[in-house]
Amino acid sequence: MRIWKHAALAGAALMIAIGSAAAQDVKIGFIVKQPEEPWFQDEWKFAQQAAKEKGFTLVEIGAQDGEKVQSAIDNLGAQGAQGFIICTPDVKLGPGIAAKAAANDLKLMTVDDRLVDNEGKPIESVPHMGISATKIGETVGQAIADEIKSRGWDMPQVGMIKVSYDQLPTAVDRVEGATSVLQKAGFPADHIFNAPQAKTDTEAALNAATTVINAHPDIKHWVAVGLNDEAVLGAVRATESVGIPPENVIGVGIGGADSAINEFKKPNPTGFFGTVIISPKRHGYETALDMYDWIANGKEPDKLTLTSGQLATRADYQKVRQDLGLQ
Ligand code: FCA
């Protein structure tokens, strides 16, 4: 009996030893398009948490253009990595990324932005985790519609800065979701002003929004939508730069990372009214874990996972973050 017990224990110890030796050999890349953006820093943070828990190595790489993506993948291959997760700077790089991954014998998963093929259709064979873009956009639209009402604005007189980035399907879906709800609530179609941004950051959004505002000096009340907090913050900064007071502006972003939280922490309210908080933990921790399971245990990740979001405003963001387990 005792002998059996010892043997079983030794066996278990051996299994653990084998398991951890394998984990030590696992190397996973996590490539993001905008390493300076708080959302992506949070994704990395949570991916590292998974690496620490399981004992594998996670290599963080920022790749802002196609060339950097190519060399990042080759580098990972040369380093002996077995797979990577990527939020690509351009979804049209899809076929090239898939080919490079295969050439380097690397497993491939995408996060946030889904790769498209030469016809612009999603590459469904690559496992992907993204946000439920339309639904989250609709939450943005509803929040703005409610706030227009509570401020007692005359809906037909309000203008919308629609910060757009049409080369990215998730951006289109988010913004369309927001505008469709607002239009159903009575927002005038001819007051939706497109502000195409050249890049998905605050500066590009500010430039795009400034053009729109300058073209419509007659509009008193503004709302702003965009694909993320940075886009909406750019629009809000543009309203500030021409002296529009914050009580005349309702911007609702998507993200909920430091870009938004720092705005809520300012002593006085700004035109950045709210954000739909999405989950960097799911996108960072879960994708890293999925990739690890795929490499170490041969368990293929789900082909498509869409995560949800939760509206938070300056008034309730601390509670919402608490409820979501974020602080
Ligand atoms: C895209 C955006 C990011 C973030 C992510 C979930 O990649 O550019 O800001 O919103 O989707």
Side-chain angles (χ1 to χ4, degrees), residues 292-322:
Y292 173 76
D293 258 352
W294 196 4
I295 294 165
N297 308 318
K299 185 177 174 281
E300 265 203 53
D302 290 343
K303 287 283 188 260
L304 183 63
T305 307
L306 297 177
T307 60
S308 60
Q310 174 89 39
L311 178 71
T313 65
R314 165 181 268 268
D316 66 5
Y317 78 95
Q318 276 159 321
K319 183 175 180 312
V320 175
R321 278 170 61 82
Q322 241 163 34

Side-chain angles (χ1 to χ4, degrees), residues 66-319:
E67 242 179 83
K68 289 202 175 119
V69 169
Q70 298 263 335
S71 60
I73 301 172
D74 283 338
N75 256 324
L76 286 167
Q79 282 184 53
Q82 297 91 348
F84 68 98
I85 298 142
I86 183 168
C87 177
T88 175
D90 181 352
V91 291
K92 291 197 205 73
L93 297 170
I97 291 174
K100 259 260 177 276
N104 280 285
D105 201 15
L106 291 162
K107 293 188 168 30
L108 165 65
M109 270 181 77
T110 53
V111 70
D112 305 334
D113 300 352
R114 200 174 187 195
L115 302 178
V116 299
D117 63 18
N118 292 330
E119 280 152 26
K121 295 206 189 79
I123 303 184
E124 289 175 357
S125 56
V126 176
H128 175 71
M129 181 182 285
I131 67 167
S132 325
T134 304
K135 206 158 162 257
I136 285 171
E138 287 167 359
T139 306
V140 168
Q142 193 56 54
I144 293 176
D146 293 346
E147 185 61 13
I148 288 177
K149 213 170 170 193
S150 84
R151 290 190 194 185
W153 294 358
D154 182 19
M155 186 86 90
Q157 304 292 323
V158 183
M160 182 196 295
I161 305 166
K162 178 181 147 194
V163 180
S164 62
Y165 191 73
D166 287 350
Q167 54 269 61
L168 181 59
T170 182
V172 176
D173 293 346
R174 296 176 198 189
V175 168
E176 283 304 314
T179 49
S180 70
V181 165
L182 274 159
Q183 280 188 267
K184 268 185 221 136
F187 201 95
D190 61 348
H191 274 195
I192 298 177
F193 305 116
N194 195 22
Q197 56 180 163
K199 272 183 69 187
T200 54
D201 63 13
T202 302
E203 193 188 338
L206 188 151
N207 293 336
T210 302
T211 309
V212 161
I213 297 166
N214 286 341
H216 302 281
D218 45 315
I219 290 193
K220 188 175 165 211
H221 293 137
W222 285 102
V223 301
V225 302
L227 95 151
N228 58 13
D229 288 332
E230 283 70 16
V232 173
L233 281 168
V236 169
R237 295 289 95 88
T239 60
E240 289 163 355
S241 73
V242 296
I244 299 172
E247 57 272 20
N248 288 0
V249 179
I250 305 168
V252 176
I254 294 171
D258 273 353
S259 331
I261 302 308
N262 289 341
E263 195 70 9
F264 295 147
K265 282 185 183 157
K266 290 181 177 173
N268 296 313
T270 71
F272 189 84
F273 175 72
T275 181
V276 180
I277 300 184
I278 51 179
S279 174
K281 173 145 192 199
R282 294 206 60 192
H283 287 229
Y285 180 88
E286 260 181 53
T287 53
L289 215 56
D290 285 351
M291 178 54 82
Y292 173 76
D293 258 352
W294 196 4
I295 294 165
N297 308 318
K299 185 177 174 281
E300 265 203 53
D302 290 343
K303 287 283 188 260
L304 183 63
T305 307
L306 297 177
T307 60
S308 60
Q310 174 89 39
L311 178 71
T313 65
R314 165 181 268 268
D316 66 5
Y317 78 95
Q318 276 159 321
K319 183 175 180 312

